[in-house]
Every structure is written in C-alpha cells, then in structure tokens.
Amino acid sequence: MLLSSRRRLRAALLAAASATLVAAALPSPTPLGIGDPLFPHLGNPGYDVVAYDIALTYNGTNTAPLDAVTRIDAVATQRLDRINLDFTHGTVSEVVVNGLPAEFATAGEDLVVEPAVALQRGSQVRITVAHTSDPRGAASAGGWVRTGDGLAMANQADAAHRVFPSNDHPADKAFFTFRITAPSALTAVANGLAESKRRNGTTTTWSYRTAHPMATELAQVSIGSSAVVNRHGPGGLPVRDVVPAKDRDRLEKWLAKTPGQLEWMEEKAGRYPFETYGVLVADADTGYELETQTLSLFERALFTNPAYPEWYVDSIMVHELAHQWFGNSVSPRTWSDLWLNEGHATWYEALYAEEKSGHTVESRMREAYKHSDQWRTDGGPPAAPKPPAPGKKISLFRPVVYDGSALALYALRQTIGKEAFEQLERTWVSEHRDGTATTEDFTALASEIAGRDLSVFFREWLYGQRTPAMPGHPDWRTTAPKKAAAR
C-alpha cells in the first residue's frame, strides 16, 4: 500500500516530545475489523455509514491514477477517538472530519483517521478524504478493471477499498452518489439513476445516485467509449444497457432479452427491488460476470464467442439478474453467508434453463450431487466455507457455493414441497429487502413456513462434511472425495 500524509498522527508527535506525554498518547494505529470469519480485517467497528459521495476525475488514460474525493456521512455507534476506514492502492492528501482537518496514517489496509475532536456515541460525522484511485496492478486483486476503452469496477468480495475509502463490508450498506468527470468524448455510468450531465469545456461531469442502500462490493463505475441503450421493463421499469459503442448493433439480440428475463424473475421472486436495471458489457477478460447493483457486469466475450450456446448465455444473464434479489437487495451479514447469494442465483439460472430450453434442474442437480462431497472437501460445506487461498481471494468462489449450494436448495424443495419453497423464496426477499440477513435467518424462516423444525436438515446440508442423502432420490450417489489439494 502506498499512502502518504502531510501530517503525522498526534501520538507520534507526542512520542517525540517526552516520555511523560508518550504515556498519555493514543496507541499506534492498528488495522481493525468487524470479525468476519473469512476476512477478519474487513469492515470497521464504531460507526454506521449512511451515505457515500464519490467524485472521480478520469484524464483519458486507464494507466494513470484518478483524482478523487470521497465524502462519507455516518453515525457513531460508540465514542471514537479514531476512525478506521478500509483503503489501499491510493495516495491520501487530506482528511477533514466535521469541517476540521484531521490527522491520518495507515495500518495494514486501513486508513486510520484521528479527528480534532473525539466523536461521541450517536453523533453524526462527515469524513472527507482527498485521494487518488489507482487502476494499475493485478486485475485478479479486484477493484478497477482496465477495459479496451477505459475502466469498470469489480469489487467483490473485498476490493472496493482498492478504489475508495469505505467501511468495506456488506453488513454496512449505504446510499451512494457518484460524480464522474471524464473527457467529453467518453461516457461515464454508475449504479442508480442519472441525475445530471454537465459539460465544462473538454470534459463532462456525470452524476448518478442510488435510490436504495448498497453494499460497497456492488459499486459500479464505468468509463469508456460506450453506447447507452434505454428501454422499459415490467411496469415501466427503466432498463439501461451500457455496451462498447462499436458493438451496439451486434449486441442488440442479447440486450432485448432483459425485459422478458425481468418478467420471469418477478414471477418467481416478486417485484424487482430497485430503481433500474441493465447489463454493462465490458471489453475485458475478467474470467467472471458480476452482479453490480442495478448494472450487472459482463465480459464482452460471453456474447460474442460463438462457442457459448444461446441457452447458456441466457441462463448466465438470469444468474446475475437473480442476484439483484438474492445478494444485492438482501445482502449477506457475513461472507460465510455467501451461499445465500450464489446458491440462489445458481438455482434460478438452472430453473430458467429448464423452463426455456429443456435442460432440466434434476439432471443438473444429479450431476452436482456426484461431485458434492469433493466440493465440500476442497472448499468446506456451503455455510462454512474455507477461507480463500492466500493472495487469491477470488478462490472463495468455489463450486460448493454455486451448484453445491443450489443442491441444498433443491433438497429443501424436495423436503418441504414446491409450494412452500416458492412461498419461502418470495417471503425471504420481501422481509429482508434493502437489508442484510444470515443463514440462521433463512433457516428459521424456512422452518416457520414449513410448519416444522428443519434444524437437523439444515445442519446436515449446510454444515456437514459429507453430502446427505437426497430426499426423493435414494439412488443418487456421490464420488468418494480425494484429499483436498494444498492451497
């Protein structure tokens, strides 16, 4: 991490003054966290973020740091002499807290801020950080993704703080405003709805605002030579797709599918939970697609590579769309609850493929069952995943959280019946809309709707080292797992 400060922390100055003052000084800055079992230093205690206002200035090249100002409005949940923010991969020039200059330093991947006046519990706080946001570095680390014509964001699971200072954990959702200044020949887009577009000479400033709270890992800003395609979905929902301008006509076949996919998902899970939706097609090789809120990120190759059959591309589009309900509107309280995101998105991906192209859920789940014990050996059970490999945080997204978790949902439907299962799905996203929830919340709701205690079922399916027998399919067999590969 390369962060610099024009001031040193007061504690360091006092330490240089006298031994007596050292005793009264605050301890050295240290990285904090909220105790997530998979990312222990992610997030920070002591405050709740209400809103982010992020201003970015892009000079036309994706190999140079962007100038940025991030303003954070929060409420202190305890007395704070210091405020820890998650931030790395940028240079900080100034921090202001409630209108007064604050001292700051770094510790691990935290920016540690010491306000001029300590914050009292329940008080409102505004933190303004002037910094750079550096798009250079390994793409596998997440954060900025350099595209063929600019930039996009891929912040999952813990990379938003490589772009902007934040409380970078889905447990602390907030509203976002983005203000992006770029050369006028380019187009800038972000989550939410457009508020304004203001030209100033050779540059244009675009402003966007979310109407619903959002986890930091779902933030999206894209800058490039893009075409913005507008249409409407169910109930007049604004649908905005963003694609490389050169591919506008070529991609229309795929873009035109979104309204129908929205209607299909609304039939399954209830009204779409946000103010807009669309796909963002990036000219980049990421190796994955990503459910950034209201504007899902897709690789261009998914739509242009003829090796991918149409039914497969359709189902992947629905996977990211389903996340808007499962993972975005209802976000995981901890990263161990990731199965709730990916298991559900995979479930609707498979269900869509069954209903639209005849690739049955049962055949997919039977194949998944064969591999499930190996997946559990390699990555842990669905609700107790093993930590990602050191230096490879994307490795958290293993097969067990996708088809392995969808398999648990299939077993649940086999156990409680299709009608109760569908009621559970709709009730889940309705009761926890715009919030966060845990595995325990889901299992409790399932028991309530089923009218019986399902704790044994969930303990075996979500936490067991071996896959239980599949209800209704006593003939299904798993392959004996081999020893987990060294990580």
Side-chain angles (χ1 to χ4, degrees), residues 9 31 54 84 100 117 222 256 262 402 434 458:
L9 282 171
I54 301 169
N84 278 50
L100 298 175
V117 179
S222 173
L262 280 159
Y402 292 95
D434 287 338
F458 282 114

Side-chain angles (χ1 to χ4, degrees), residues 151-366:
L151 293 171
M153 281 187 196
N155 296 331
Q156 199 176 84
D158 71 333
H161 67 282
R162 290 175 59 86
V163 178
F164 56 92
S166 58
N167 198 23
D168 192 12
H169 194 280
D172 192 4
K173 299 167 72 168
F175 293 91
F176 278 74
T177 298
F178 298 94
R179 309 176 199 278
I180 309 124
T181 300
S184 295
L186 302 178
T187 298
V189 296
N191 312 90
L193 294 171
E195 281 202 322
S196 64
K197 176 183 175 183
R198 186 180 69 256
R199 184 158 183 163
N200 182 20
T202 60
T203 65
T204 297
T205 298
W206 311 69
S207 178
Y208 297 87
R209 189 185 302 271
T210 67
H212 298 264
M214 180 171 72
T216 49
E217 50 117 356
L218 302 174
Q220 181 59 266
V221 169
S222 173
I223 306 166
S225 300
S226 304
V228 179
V229 184
N230 294 295
R231 67 188 85 222
H232 289 94
L237 176 76
V239 174
R240 169 195 56 165
D241 297 314
V242 183
V243 301
K246 62 182 180 180
D247 295 319
R248 165 66 182 85
D249 294 336
R250 183 181 185 182
L251 296 178
E252 173 59 23
K253 166 188 174 180
W254 303 105
L255 306 182
K257 291 174 179 284
T258 299
Q261 292 169 349
L262 280 159
E263 290 178 359
W264 185 86
M265 271 303 303
E266 287 195 342
E267 290 174 0
K268 306 300 181 185
R271 191 67 179 265
Y272 176 73
F274 297 121
E275 64 273 20
T276 183
Y277 185 66
V279 303
L280 167 63
V281 180
D283 186 7
D285 297 320
T286 60
Y288 54 83
E289 326 305 326
L290 188 61
E291 64 273 18
T292 42
Q293 190 161 308
T294 72
L295 189 61
S296 293
L297 175 67
F298 293 88
E299 296 176 286
R300 177 178 179 271
L302 179 70
F303 303 105
T304 60
N305 187 338
Y308 298 128
E310 184 171 356
W311 73 265
Y312 171 78
V313 177
D314 289 346
S315 66
I316 296 303
M317 292 178 72
V318 169
H319 179 108
E320 304 308 332
L321 173 59
H323 270 307
Q324 305 300 315
W325 284 262
F326 300 92
N328 295 12
S329 180
V330 185
S331 299
R333 190 78 51 79
T334 75
W335 278 108
S336 294
D337 298 310
L338 176 63
W339 81 274
L340 287 166
N341 300 18
E342 299 300 347
H344 276 100
T346 302
W347 172 257
Y348 288 104
E349 168 195 333
L351 196 60
Y352 190 84
E354 176 178 80
E355 293 188 12
K356 301 297 183 179
S357 64
H359 292 76
T360 68
V361 172
E362 182 176 319
S363 62
R364 179 167 177 171
M365 292 299 99
R366 182 168 187 160

